[in-house]
Every structure is written in C-alpha cells, then in structure tokens.
Amino acid sequence: MNVDLHCHSTISDGVLTPSQVAERAHANGVQLWALTDHDEVSGLAQARAMANDLGMKFIPGVEISVTWAQNTVHIVGLGIDENCPRLNEGLTGIRAGRTIRAREMADKLAQMGVPDAYEGALPYAANPALISRTHFARYLIARGYCDSMQKVFDTYLGDGMAASVPVHWSTLEEAVGWILEAGGQAVVAHPGRYNYTPVQFDAFFSQFKDLGGTGIEVVTGSHHPDEYVEYARVARQYGFLASSGSDFHSPKEGKLDLGSVPALPSGLTPIWHDWI
C-alpha cells in the first residue's frame, strides 16, 4: 500500500492548499494519506473532503512542536479528533508564541544585513499566525541571500545559528496528552534530525513510551536511507509501531515527493495496520 502520513499545506508552511495536497497525493498513487500541519488543524476538513471525493483513505493529523532537553522536537498525532477542546487549546497556546519569535528573528537578520525580513516573509505565510523559519527561508532565497533551504539553515536560521531564536514550545507530556485526549496515536517525527546523545535519545524514547507514545517515523523525507535502518532498529528495541511520510512541503523542496516514500524495512508493524 502506498502510504504517506506526514505532509504540510498552506495552513502551516507548505505551498499548496489542503485540497491541492490531496490532489497531488492521489495523482502520485497515495492510497492512505494524512495531512499533518504544524500546530494547526484548520485544514483537515478541506483535506478530508477532497480525499473523500478522490476515494483516498484519509487520516486526520497534526505535527506538534515540543521542547525537550532545550531542543525542538516534533510529535505527530495521527487519527485525531480535530474538534477536541484540549487539543485546540494547546495548539492555540503554541501558535501565540510564533509571532513574537518571528519578530525577534527579523531583528537578528537585520543586524546581519537582511532588512525587512518579517515583512518579506509574511507573503509566503498564508496563515500569518504560523509564520516560521521556512517562510523566512523562502524570502531569503527569493532575494538571493542563499540558493537553497539547506544553505539558509546552515547560514542563518538553523539551531544555534546567528538568526535562530530559541523558543519553548509544549512539553512532551503535554503534546502526547493532547493527542491521546483527541483519540489519536502519538508518533515521533523524523528522529534523525535531532541532535541528542545516545543517553539523551534513550531517555527521550523511554519517556515518550511511558507517556503513551506508540510510534516512530522510520522512513521519511527527512531521513537518509541509512537512517531507515537505524530507526527500524530503534522501533524494534522500544516496541514502537513504524510510520512513514514524505514530509512534503513543496514540489521544489525536500527529498521525497508525495507518493514516493520507500517501503518500511521488514520486521516492523506499521502504525496503519488497523486503518486498512
């Protein structure tokens, strides 16, 4: 089965509307699909309607920003009820911090010789409440400061870079709790992106499981192929279900398009085993 359980629309930092993402997924052969916008669920109704029209099975999702050991990690919620009050209250609180962070990033970029970055990034954010580093990156590329997303993050906006602004998102306990309250399953998104020591990773995965987390992304557009093997091992070690997704944002960005996610390594239990 062609499965893609991690992608983004204009509701957060993608470039296609929820309906357009659904259409692209279907055209590329996806049979089981989830929209997982950052800290926002308002695109799910549109995504569900289009998926239903196309005959594609839809799983409502969200990607929640979490601060753990002073770094940002992302927890995907799959199979959620987007009308859950506790979930929505939590996501509203996270979004409130994004505008303050964006203003501070713009101030730092101005000190580095990039004026008016906040005003420049806003047109790239269909939802101004969710303005993010990705929107700033698109502006910097358009203005010729960098030639790729990777260069922007390596030079300006990546964790620890001069224009990066640390922010405290939700706690791991809060994020997993919101997802469970909404009837969903909590999944660690793209663990290969996090710069933790083996001891920290063990503490993180153990706490996540103790809180009720059930899955880990093994195959994702944010992982290299050798990391598929590594996180398959992690899934087996901790007893996690395995998830996969392109982490699609744009046809011109990222390593994997919708529908092009490789199969999971053998010996894993897919998180979608009860949805098919």
Side-chain angles (χ1 to χ4, degrees):
M1 172 172 275
N2 192 324
V3 175
D4 198 320
L5 300 180
H6 186 161
C7 63
H8 301 276
S9 75
T10 50
I11 297 300
S12 62
D13 56 349
V15 302
L16 303 180
T17 66
S19 292
Q20 290 171 329
V21 180
E23 290 172 332
R24 187 177 185 90
H26 182 261
N28 288 358
V30 175
Q31 298 162 287
L32 180 66
W33 172 63
L35 181 68
T36 56
D37 277 314
H38 291 284
D39 306 319
E40 177 64 272
V41 295
S42 64
L44 294 181
Q46 183 186 146
R48 179 186 291 106
M50 181 57 73
N52 289 341
D53 287 347
L54 295 168
M56 182 169 54
K57 188 167 180 59
F58 177 69
I59 305 297
V62 67
E63 185 173 12
I64 302 179
S65 303
V66 168
T67 299
W68 194 89
Q70 300 181 316
N71 288 320
T72 297
V73 300
H74 293 145
I75 303 298
V76 167
L78 295 173
I80 59 166
D81 172 8
E82 68 263 35
N83 297 311
C84 172
R86 185 178 174 199
L87 172 66
N88 279 283
E89 288 167 8
L91 297 180
T92 297
I94 294 175
R95 293 195 298 270
R98 283 188 175 269
T99 300
I100 296 171
R101 179 199 191 200
R103 293 282 191 184
E104 292 180 10
M105 284 194 294
D107 289 343
K108 289 191 173 188
L109 285 167
Q111 295 169 17
M112 299 175 70
V114 183
D116 303 321
Y118 181 79
E119 292 76 12
L122 269 179
Y124 294 90
N127 184 349
L130 279 171
I131 188 169
S132 71
R133 292 185 295 181
T134 301
H135 301 117
F136 280 91
R138 290 179 182 140
Y139 171 70
L140 291 172
I141 292 169
R143 292 298 301 270
Y145 290 100
C146 294
D147 59 7
S148 69
M149 282 279 182
Q150 190 62 52
K151 187 68 174 178
V152 171
F153 279 83
D154 289 345
T155 306
Y156 296 100
L157 297 176
D159 291 343
M161 296 298 104
S164 177
V165 176
V167 63
H168 182 78
W169 304 111
S170 64
T171 66
L172 185 62
E173 182 177 9
E174 287 171 334
V176 174
W178 299 337
I179 291 167
L180 296 181
E181 180 77 11
Q185 296 194 68
V187 178
V188 178
H190 39 59
R193 283 175 45 177
Y194 310 136
N195 187 27
Y196 292 131
T197 67
V199 171
Q200 288 175 316
F201 262 126
D202 178 64
F204 173 70
F205 291 135
S206 297
Q207 182 185 6
F208 176 71
K209 186 171 184 178
D210 289 345
L211 290 170
T214 55
I216 184 173
E217 286 186 352
V218 174
V219 179
T220 159
S222 295
H223 281 175
H224 298 292
D226 58 341
E227 290 174 318
Y228 303 164
V229 176
E230 168 63 14
Y231 291 102
R233 180 194 65 76
V234 170
R236 296 186 192 102
Q237 177 181 345
Y238 293 89
F240 289 136
L241 301 176
S243 191
S244 63
S246 59
D247 199 6
F248 174 85
H249 288 74
S250 162
K252 297 180 180 179
E253 300 167 5
K255 299 173 185 174
L256 296 178
D257 199 350
L258 290 155
S260 64
V261 182
L264 289 173
S266 62
L268 301 175
T269 302
I271 198 161
W272 59 85
H273 70 294
D274 288 335
W275 296 331
I276 57 175

